Amino acid sequence: MKKFIVAIVLMVCNSLLAQVQFEAKVSKNTLGLNERLRIDFTMNIDGDNFNQPSFEGFKIIAGPSQQVSQSWVNGKSSFEKTYSYYLLPQQKGNLIIKQASIEYNGQIYKTSPIKINVTAAVEQPKDPNDAQVSADNNIYLVADISKTNPYINEPITVVYKLYFSYNIGITNWRELDKPKYNDFWSQNIDIKQLVGEEGMFKGEKYRFVVLRKTVLYPQKSGKLVIEPLSLDIDVQLPTNRRDMFGRVVVVNGNKRVSAGAKTIAVRPLPEAGKPEGFSGAVGKFDFRVTPSKTSLKSGESLNLIVSVTGNGNMKLFTLPKPVVPNSLEMYDPVHSEQVNTVLTGMYGKISDSYTIIPQSKGNYPIKSIQFSYFDLGSGKYKTISSPKIMVNVLDDPMANNQPSTTTPEISKNVISRTEQFKYIKLKSNLVSMNKEDFLDSKTFYGLLFLPFLILPLIILFKKKKEAINGDVISNRIKMNNRLAKKYLSEAKKQINNKEPFYVALEKAMHNFLKAKLHIETSDMSKSNIQELLLSRNASPETVIDFIALTENCELARYALTSSSTIQNDFEKAVVIISDLEKQIQI
């Protein structure tokens, strides 16, 4: 009897479960890259907490729209709720739309994954009433490059212009792929306001908008590729139809354009005539060495300023270091940059300020310093030499620190203060006459019972160690924390060696992420790191700075980089890690 009741209950439960239907339906399983896909998530119950899939490989262009229908036929009710989306594929290949889910009566129901085959763009049949103007031949994205065969560290400009004809309108655009400047030092020029202009393109009048301006300095010779900028543009196209007022009806369309990859043939700097000590300066410069004073009194110091002004790769070379006599103590310089970047390149002033303190009286020469650069105008190397500088120290800085001397007759009998107690023995080796017996001493009993007192501590320590060793996740976090500190310390030691510095800095930042986000190296994609950091309440500005610095570590290892840039990157890394340490919630 009990078996019969259980069977009936199971049959009833199965029949109730079978009544719940939740499925996904698509308009087609194969479509072109330029076609739209409709997907409907339909359920026959009023489910709660609908969770859409991530739609990886697709862009949502409309939705979700919700429809609910309910009817009664012959005393039976039917219910249907539908969530609809319109999707546009972002790439070719076999894509998968993952599961959506709802909750009903405490149960979770999911749809089945759907495979979609995306092919190349297909030609779509045209309705004679549809748009009479195509966007294909009316929109162009162009990258204007000022020079395609520059020298290393010669500035070139890339200006991205969007040309569109008078027959169409543009409502919006989105960047699909940002240009990448591998092996270039780059600086974007801010465009405060987009302004429409008129110009000739392919022999016809077009309207155009300047979208982006970038200054590039190539860092190595050979053929360098600038990866393209790609845009997704919303356009308005006129049709053959007219409204009730006689105006042309326009339809909304979509067009993707790309500026195309550009190849730059970079020439190496000539070896003939290259001066010794050339540090990579390219442009037109003026070099000066200026002392704050040349005559010093006791206790005074001077500032020696080594500066370069002009136009060129100001941030990408190092200034020469002065050589001073041993009697002049010179401290590490304070670096200063007053550099602006415009379309023609960098201009301004950089300087190193040295503090010099004399050690004794006399006249001391500071030798002439030479600064060499490659002049783009003449195509030759030029060298500027600073004049020789004489520093006159008027009196001995140590004179005021010397003790006053006595007359010869008195000095023979004077004992200096430090030698007054030289011959007095300050320590004794006295031994007690009454010795304590060791067998009845406190030391004897302490040593006797010490093993029994230590044994519980050993057991507790062993259990604690086993618990710590068993906590794999905590151990991994501690290890990653130690590695982050180790590599950050190593980066500081290697601050004068570019490649080891950036290798250590990159490892420090990666191990910091492993410790804080509990992820492995295989999970360290740009989008994943950004999503995890933002989910832990990190500020967007700090996240952007972190990702930019990690990307710069790889590029900077192969690029010409000044000592000031390396120092700035190290200080920036310390600030970013400190900020994330405060912001991230574990």
Side-chain angles (χ1 to χ4, degrees):
M1 186 63 181
K2 291 182 178 179
K3 293 181 179 180
F4 181 72
I5 294 173
V6 171
I8 292 175
V9 171
L10 290 175
M11 290 175 63
V12 172
C13 291
N14 288 332
S15 64
L16 291 174
L17 291 174
Q19 293 177 0
V20 177
Q21 295 180 356
F22 180 45
E23 57 185 355
K25 299 178 183 179
V26 293
S27 57
K28 57 179 73 177
N29 293 95
T30 301
L31 71 157
L33 190 61
N34 59 333
E35 293 183 297
R36 298 184 180 187
L37 176 72
R38 174 172 174 165
I39 182 168
D40 297 324
F41 298 97
T42 305
M43 65 195 77
N44 64 344
I45 43 88
D46 190 10
D48 299 322
N49 300 326
F50 171 74
N51 290 319
Q52 69 182 42
S54 59
F55 296 121
E56 294 180 7
F58 293 90
K59 181 180 71 172
I60 300 175
I61 57 177
S65 61
Q66 179 180 330
Q67 296 178 348
V68 178
S69 63
Q70 189 169 9
S71 62
W72 285 265
V73 179
N74 295 329
K76 292 184 178 180
S77 64
S78 63
F79 177 88
E80 185 176 88
K81 180 192 286 187
T82 303
Y83 291 92
S84 299
Y85 294 83
Y86 285 92
L87 310 176
L88 186 67
Q90 301 290 293
Q91 63 191 56
K92 294 189 295 183
N94 293 318
L95 306 180
I96 296 178
I97 298 177
K98 297 181 179 180
Q99 296 172 307
S101 65
I102 59 169
E103 183 179 350
Y104 182 69
N105 288 340
Q107 296 288 329
I108 302 296
Y109 297 91
K110 296 182 178 181
T111 60
S112 299
I114 299 177
K115 293 183 179 179
I116 304 296
N117 180 27
V118 180
T119 64
V122 297
E123 185 177 356
Q124 298 176 340
K126 296 182 179 179
D127 188 327
N129 292 322
D130 285 344
Q132 61 182 2
V133 176
S134 171
D136 293 340
N137 300 320
N138 289 278
I139 300 179
Y140 298 93
L141 181 61
V142 178
D144 287 339
I145 298 178
S146 61
K147 194 171 186 179
T148 57
N149 62 335
Y151 282 105
I152 290 179
N153 273 316
E154 179 180 358
I156 62 174
T157 59
V158 183
V159 179
Y160 294 93
K161 298 179 180 179
L162 180 64
Y163 286 90
F164 53 99
S165 71
Y166 289 88
N167 298 325
I168 65 173
I170 294 178
T171 58
N172 191 22
W173 61 77
R174 295 164 293 278
E175 287 189 359
L176 296 177
D177 292 313
K178 292 185 178 181
K180 296 179 181 178
Y181 308 110
N182 297 327
D183 300 315
F184 289 92
W185 182 94
S186 63
Q187 175 71 54
N188 289 327
I189 306 298
D190 291 335
I191 299 177
K192 297 181 180 180
Q193 185 176 0
L194 296 176
V195 179
E197 302 179 50
E198 292 184 352
M200 297 298 294
F201 182 72
K202 292 188 174 182
E204 298 181 8
K205 276 191 175 182
Y206 275 80
R207 293 174 292 173
F208 71 89
V209 177
V210 176
L211 301 179
R212 183 192 292 261
K213 298 178 182 179
T214 305
V215 178
L216 302 178
Y217 283 85
Q219 298 300 294
K220 71 176 186 180
S221 60
K223 292 186 177 180
L224 306 183
V225 177
I226 300 175
E227 297 187 13
L229 170 67
S230 298
L231 300 178
D232 185 14
I233 304 175
D234 295 333
V235 297
Q236 291 181 330
L237 306 173
T239 68
N240 291 325
R241 293 173 292 177
R242 294 181 179 272
D243 60 14
M244 59 183 298
F245 300 104
R247 295 173 299 189
V248 175
V249 175
V250 297
V251 295
N252 294 322
N254 180 268
K255 176 65 177 175
R256 295 183 179 185
V257 293
S258 174
K262 302 294 181 181
T263 301
I264 308 297
V266 182
R267 293 178 289 173
L269 297 176
E271 292 296 328
K274 181 182 288 188
E276 185 178 356
F278 174 70
S279 62
V282 176
K284 186 74 173 178
F285 303 103
D286 183 27
F287 175 68
R288 292 185 180 182
V289 178
T290 308
S292 60
K293 59 179 74 173
T294 54
S295 296
L296 303 176
K297 296 180 180 180
S298 174
E300 289 185 335
S301 63
L302 68 89
N303 289 328
L304 187 67
I305 300 175
V306 180
S307 63
V308 168
T309 58
N311 300 283
N313 57 334
M314 304 292 292
K315 298 182 180 180
L316 303 176
F317 61 84
T318 56
L319 294 171
K321 186 176 181 179
V323 178
V324 300
N326 293 332
S327 296
L328 299 179
E329 185 176 0
M330 184 173 68
Y331 293 87
D332 291 337
V334 176
H335 186 76
S336 175
E337 293 182 354
Q338 299 174 356
V339 180
N340 295 317
T341 305
V342 295
L343 271 181
T344 55
M346 289 184 276
Y347 72 93
K349 176 181 179 181
I350 60 173
S351 62
D352 286 339
S353 178
Y354 295 86
T355 299
I356 298 177
I357 300 177
Q359 301 297 310
S360 58
K361 180 181 179 181
N363 293 322
Y364 302 100
I366 298 178
K367 296 181 180 179
S368 173
I369 307 173
Q370 291 185 336
F371 172 74
S372 301
Y373 67 93
F374 182 74
D375 185 11
L376 293 170
S378 62
K380 296 180 180 180
Y381 292 97
K382 293 187 177 181
T383 300
I384 304 174
S385 299
S386 67
K388 181 180 178 181
I389 299 172
M390 291 297 298
V391 178
N392 181 21
V393 183
L394 301 177
D395 53 9
D396 193 345
M398 303 299 295
N400 294 336
N401 297 328
Q402 298 293 333
S404 59
T405 57
T406 59
T407 60
E409 293 79 7
I410 299 176
S411 62
K412 292 181 181 179
N413 299 322
V414 173
I415 300 175
S416 65
R417 183 174 300 177
T418 57
E419 296 182 351
Q420 289 181 2
F421 301 97
K422 183 175 180 180
Y423 303 104
I424 298 178
K425 194 170 184 179
L426 302 178
K427 294 183 179 180
S428 63
N429 296 321
L430 301 178
V431 179
S432 175
M433 297 178 61
N434 299 323
K435 294 184 177 180
E436 184 180 1
D437 190 1
F438 176 71
L439 290 177
D440 291 328
S441 66
K442 295 180 180 179
T443 304
F444 171 77
Y445 289 109
L447 294 174
L448 181 65
F449 293 106
L450 183 62
F452 299 99
L453 296 174
I454 294 176
L455 188 59
L457 297 177
I458 294 175
I459 295 173
L460 290 174
F461 175 76
K462 185 177 180 182
K463 288 184 177 180
K464 182 68 175 177
K465 190 173 184 302
E466 290 175 352
I468 293 173
N469 292 337
D471 191 353
V472 178
I473 295 177
S474 295
N475 290 336
R476 188 179 300 164
I477 293 172
K478 292 178 182 177
M479 182 186 70
N480 290 330
N481 263 325
R482 288 196 297 269
L483 288 174
K485 294 177 181 178
K486 172 187 172 183
Y487 285 121
L488 197 60
S489 176
E490 179 67 20
K492 187 175 182 180
K493 294 178 183 177
Q494 298 290 344
I495 204 162
N496 293 322
N497 300 318
K498 179 185 67 175
E499 188 168 347
F501 167 80
Y502 281 108
V503 170
L505 186 63
E506 186 176 11
K507 289 182 178 180
M509 300 185 76
H510 280 182
N511 281 283
F512 174 78
L513 279 185
K514 289 182 182 180
K516 295 301 176 186
L517 301 182
H518 310 166
I519 59 175
E520 296 302 322
T521 304
S522 59
D523 299 326
M524 285 191 181
S525 66
K526 177 180 175 182
S527 58
N528 194 28
I529 291 173
Q530 187 171 6
E531 182 179 348
L532 288 173
L533 287 174
L534 292 176
S535 66
R536 301 289 179 87
N537 291 338
S539 69
E541 294 81 7
T542 307
V543 174
I544 291 172
D545 290 344
F546 184 91
I547 292 174
L549 185 58
T550 54
E551 291 178 345
N552 184 54
C553 287
E554 179 66 24
L555 299 177
R557 287 162 57 185
Y558 307 103
L560 288 176
T561 308
S562 65
S563 58
S564 63
T565 303
I566 295 176
Q567 180 68 35
N568 290 339
D569 285 344
F570 177 77
E571 294 173 357
K572 188 185 296 183
V574 173
V575 172
I576 291 172
I577 289 176
S578 177
D579 290 343
L580 289 177
E581 190 81 47
K582 299 174 184 176
Q583 296 169 5
I584 291 178
Q585 295 184 359
I586 304 300

